[in-house]
Amino acid sequence: MKRRPNDTRDPSTDSLSLREVSAAARTTTDQLLTISDGADPSAGATASFEADVILIAHPENRRLGTRFRLIPGGSLDIGRSPSAGISLPEVPSLSRSHARLRFQGERITLEDLGSRNGTFLNDRAVRGPVELESGDRFQVGSVHFKFLHERDVEHAYHEAIHQMVIRDGLTEIYNRRKFQEEGTRELARAQRHDRPLSLVMFDIDHFKEVNDTHGHLCGDAVLKQLAARVGDLLRPEQVFARLGGEEFGILCPETAIDGAVALADKLRQLFEEARYEIGKSEVVATCSFGVAAATPEMTGFDDLVAAADRALYRAKNRGRNRVEVEPGPSGAADAG
């Protein structure tokens, strides 16, 4: 699958492999375990439960999969400061002292330390110390973590790493590599059994202007909210993925071209009317769509992607906020 040039900030996990991430985590975890001065490992915690945080999304893809262990009675600060337990000086959206994790008794809490860009737990702003539950995701600046507090933390950790390899760290939907795997399998099945298969590709119009006007954190929030809204409208068998930057794909098994066009236009209208409230800002973002159907002549999934991509480029060139179909006017009718 040919990839378009992406924003260097794109937190893609496409290049990760389960073996590489696990190996990197094994070599770095022991070096990065951090507790505050005077922490007492016996301070009332249940010894059979470990508490870890895993770095799952970073604007430059650094240290993905790295695990940081919380010690009972201790605290762990996150920020750009060299003295922070999790020090990330390369991330400008972080404050020097951004957030703090505390392990007291059996409770692990997260609090914001008056940061410039805020701390978010499961997409909700953290106003004061809040208790974490195993599986929670939290965000500091443009860095995302997953919290684990399990009896069998190793199993939970490796499951989290597996999800990292197949899912986009920002939006939590499938990544491009997983989409390629599913598409290859579905195209072979469709051709073998003579069944319909369609592909919808779309991207956000003028997304660079969103980042330039409101900042990259706002752009990230738009991507997350958009992905959540699309996911709520899809059937279980449809495969939804972030293909890179602001580009997305929906693979539609057992769906002929007319059904895929109807889905694309439904989403187009949804985005046209949607408003994204990001802090004090309200962002409007339309999308352009390209739709294609599998044919017997296609020799691989890349052929189907290329067909939908041509239609998407045509939608952009014809004014954006519209749906185009490949092979275009000489074949299937366009919509818009």
Side-chain angles (χ1 to χ4, degrees):
M1 182 186 292
K2 187 176 181 180
R3 184 170 188 148
R4 295 182 185 177
N6 288 331
D7 183 344
T8 57
R9 298 181 64 265
D10 179 13
S12 170
T13 54
D14 294 329
S15 60
L16 297 177
S17 72
L18 186 59
R19 180 178 300 176
E20 290 170 348
V21 173
S22 297
R26 283 196 300 271
T27 59
T28 58
T29 298
D30 292 340
Q31 301 168 15
L32 295 169
L33 300 186
T34 309
I35 61 175
S36 64
D37 293 339
D40 178 6
S42 62
T46 303
S48 58
F49 283 77
E50 293 181 4
D52 291 353
V53 292
I54 305 170
L55 197 159
I56 59 174
H58 183 290
E60 298 176 5
N61 281 344
R62 298 191 190 183
R63 297 159 71 177
L64 294 179
T66 300
R67 175 167 49 167
F68 304 86
R69 181 157 297 158
L70 291 159
I71 303 300
S75 64
L76 185 60
D77 285 4
I78 306 171
R80 288 188 295 107
S81 171
S83 64
I86 303 178
S87 178
L88 300 164
E90 73 281 2
V91 183
S93 59
L94 285 179
S95 297
R96 286 182 59 80
S97 296
H98 195 110
R100 176 172 296 151
L101 294 155
R102 292 183 183 274
F103 195 162
Q104 297 176 313
E106 297 184 3
R107 300 174 69 247
I108 294 88
T109 60
L110 171 69
E111 61 180 308
D112 186 77
L113 299 178
S115 67
R116 181 177 71 256
N117 290 313
T119 300
F120 297 84
L121 173 61
N122 300 324
D123 296 326
R124 293 177 178 267
V126 172
R127 303 300 182 190
V130 293
E131 185 172 356
L132 297 178
E133 297 183 0
S134 188
D136 281 345
R137 287 172 54 107
F138 65 91
Q139 176 183 351
V140 291
S142 55
V143 183
H144 297 246
F145 294 89
K146 185 167 186 174
F147 172 67
L148 298 177
H149 192 204
E150 302 280 350
R151 188 179 299 276
D152 186 358
V153 74
E154 289 301 318
H155 175 78
Y157 170 70
H158 287 289
E159 175 59 27
I161 293 299
H162 172 69
Q163 291 299 317
M164 274 185 57
V165 172
I166 65 174
R167 292 188 181 274
D168 173 60
L170 177 66
T171 62
E172 300 182 71
I173 63 176
Y174 284 138
N175 60 18
R176 190 180 188 99
R177 177 172 53 189
K178 177 64 172 176
F179 193 69
Q180 174 81 28
E181 292 174 359
E182 294 294 326
T184 299
R185 182 181 303 112
E186 287 296 337
L187 179 62
R189 187 187 69 84
Q191 291 179 328
R192 183 168 59 250
H193 299 292
D194 192 25
R195 302 300 302 167
L197 173 67
S198 296
L199 173 61
V200 176
M201 291 178 62
F202 66 95
D203 67 16
I204 303 174
D205 297 329
H206 305 297
F207 187 65
K208 184 177 184 300
E209 294 181 11
V210 174
N211 283 329
D212 291 346
T213 303
H214 302 283
H216 287 286
L217 286 178
C218 179
D220 288 350
V222 169
L223 291 169
K224 291 177 66 175
Q225 292 183 30
L226 182 147
R229 293 175 183 184
V230 174
D232 289 341
L233 295 176
L234 300 182
R235 301 196 306 268
E237 69 272 16
Q238 293 173 324
V239 181
F240 180 38
R242 183 182 178 197
L243 305 183
E246 68 273 25
E247 186 177 47
F248 297 84
I250 305 170
L251 189 65
C252 304
E254 299 295 331
T255 304
I257 193 74
D258 290 347
V261 169
L263 171 63
D265 202 52
K266 181 178 181 180
L267 292 173
R268 185 196 64 77
Q269 293 179 52
L270 171 68
F271 299 147
E272 185 178 49
E273 298 168 0
R275 299 295 182 269
Y276 301 93
E277 294 185 2
I278 316 295
K280 297 181 180 179
S281 301
E282 184 178 83
V283 178
V284 178
T286 62
C287 291
S288 299
F289 293 78
V291 183
T295 67
E297 296 75 26
M298 291 179 174
T299 60
F301 184 57
D302 284 349
D303 292 344
L304 180 56
V305 171
D309 206 32
R310 288 192 295 271
L312 174 56
Y313 269 112
R314 199 158 57 244
K316 307 290 273 190
N317 291 334
R318 292 182 177 179
R320 305 176 189 269
N321 188 25
R322 59 183 292 120
V323 178
E324 294 283 343
V325 184
E326 183 69 10
S330 62
D334 296 343

